[in-house]
Amino acid sequence: MSTLPVVAVARVLSHRVRLPWLTAGCWLLTLLYFPVSIAVARAWPSGYSWSGNYISDLGITRCGLYTDRDGMSRAVCSPGHAVQNLMFVLTGLLTVVGALGWAGMWSGRWFRAGCVLLAGAGLGIAGIGLAPWDIRSQAHDTIALLQWFLQLAGMILILPEVTRRLRSLAVCTALSVVISVIGGVFLFASGHFGLGSGVSERIAFDTLTVWGGLVGLVLMLDLGSGARGGRHPETDGSSR
C-alpha cells in the first residue's frame, strides 16, 4: 500500500503548523530595528539629534553637512551606517515574509490584497537600505514615500478581517494608521509644528514598525492560546 497520501497529508499539516509561527516570528523580529538604530545613533562622534536628524541620516555613508528641504543644515557622521542600512534591508525582508505568510493564514480577498501591499511596503523598506540618502537621494525619498503609502493602504484593507478575528489588533491597527497620518502631516508641514523633522518622521514611520511588532506579538499569543485550546488560530474566527 502506498504511503504517498499519508506523507502528503503530513506535509500539509506540518505547513499549517509552521506557517503561523514563522509569520508571527518575522513580524516580531522587525522590532530589532529599534535597538540597532539606537546603537548606531549612539556611535555618532558629534551626537545624533533625535529631533533634528532624520532616520535616514543613520544610513548616510559619508560624513558632512547636509541640507534638508526646509533649507536647514545638519551635521551627519554615522560610523555604523553599514549596520543601519543592513537593518533596513533585514526589516524589509522580514516584513515581506510576515505579510505573505499572513496572507496564507487568513482568507478574504481584501485582506490578502492588503497583505500584498504590506509586502510591497517591506520591499520599500529594504530599498531604503540599498539606496542611502547621500548616494541616491531622489530614489531614497521616493521609495520611502511609496513605502509609507503602501503600508497605510495595506493596513486599511486588512482592517475588516482583522476586526472580525482579533479585535484588539484591529484597534491597534486603526490607531497606528491615524497616528502615522498625523505624523505625516507634521513631517511635510513647514516647521513641523515645532516638533522637529526627526520626531515628526518617527511618528509617521516608526509607528508602523511598532505596529508590525505588535502584529507578531498578538499573533503569537493567539497561536499559543489556540494550541492550548486545541484549535487552529489561523483558521478560527476568534474575536478577542
Side-chain angles (χ1 to χ4, degrees):
M1 182 177 177
S2 174
T3 60
L4 287 178
V6 176
V7 173
V9 170
R11 285 178 177 172
V12 170
L13 291 176
S14 177
H15 171 74
R16 290 186 66 194
V17 170
R18 287 199 307 263
L19 178 63
W21 288 103
L22 174 65
T23 299
C26 284
W27 280 114
L28 196 57
L29 285 172
T30 59
L31 291 179
L32 287 173
Y33 161 86
F34 291 107
V36 170
S37 295
I38 291 171
V40 172
R42 287 175 63 88
W44 278 39
S46 58
Y48 177 83
S49 171
W50 294 96
S51 62
N53 283 108
Y54 289 96
I55 299 171
S56 299
D57 290 351
L58 295 171
I60 285 181
T61 63
R62 295 167 292 195
C63 297
L65 200 62
Y66 293 87
T67 304
D68 62 22
R69 62 184 178 83
D70 293 329
M72 301 292 293
S73 295
R74 63 196 190 281
V76 175
C77 190
S78 184
H81 60 83
V83 175
Q84 182 64 42
N85 288 325
L86 181 61
M87 194 65 234
F88 282 137
V89 173
L90 179 60
T91 302
L93 295 179
L94 287 170
T95 301
V96 171
V97 176
L100 296 181
W102 204 4
M105 286 169 56
W106 293 1
S107 60
R109 180 183 301 175
W110 290 110
F111 173 79
R112 287 178 173 167
C115 285
V116 170
L117 293 183
L118 292 176
L123 291 176
I125 298 171
I128 289 170
L130 295 173
W133 190 84
D134 61 317
I135 297 176
R136 300 183 182 90
S137 59
Q138 180 108 24
H140 182 99
D141 289 343
T142 301
I143 292 170
L145 188 60
L146 181 61
Q147 174 253 317
W148 187 60
F149 280 120
L150 285 175
Q151 184 148 355
L152 288 174
M155 290 166 70
I156 291 170
L157 286 181
I158 68 171
L159 195 53
E161 185 66 16
V162 175
T163 302
R164 188 178 76 82
R165 290 175 179 266
L166 293 168
R167 291 194 188 118
S168 59
L169 182 56
V171 172
C172 291
T173 301
L175 284 176
S176 296
V177 168
V178 171
I179 292 171
S180 180
V181 170
I182 291 173
V185 172
F186 290 160
L187 178 61
F188 296 115
S190 177
H192 311 293
F193 291 92
L195 289 179
S197 56
V199 173
S200 301
E201 188 180 35
R202 280 173 177 79
I203 295 173
F205 286 87
D206 282 356
T207 297
L208 304 182
T209 308
V210 171
W211 172 81
L214 287 174
V215 169
L217 179 61
V218 173
L219 288 179
M220 201 162 283
L221 292 174
D222 189 54
L223 287 167
S225 65
R228 289 191 298 271
R231 64 178 176 83
H232 295 289
E234 70 272 21
T235 58
D236 181 72
S238 59
S239 58
R240 284 188 302 284

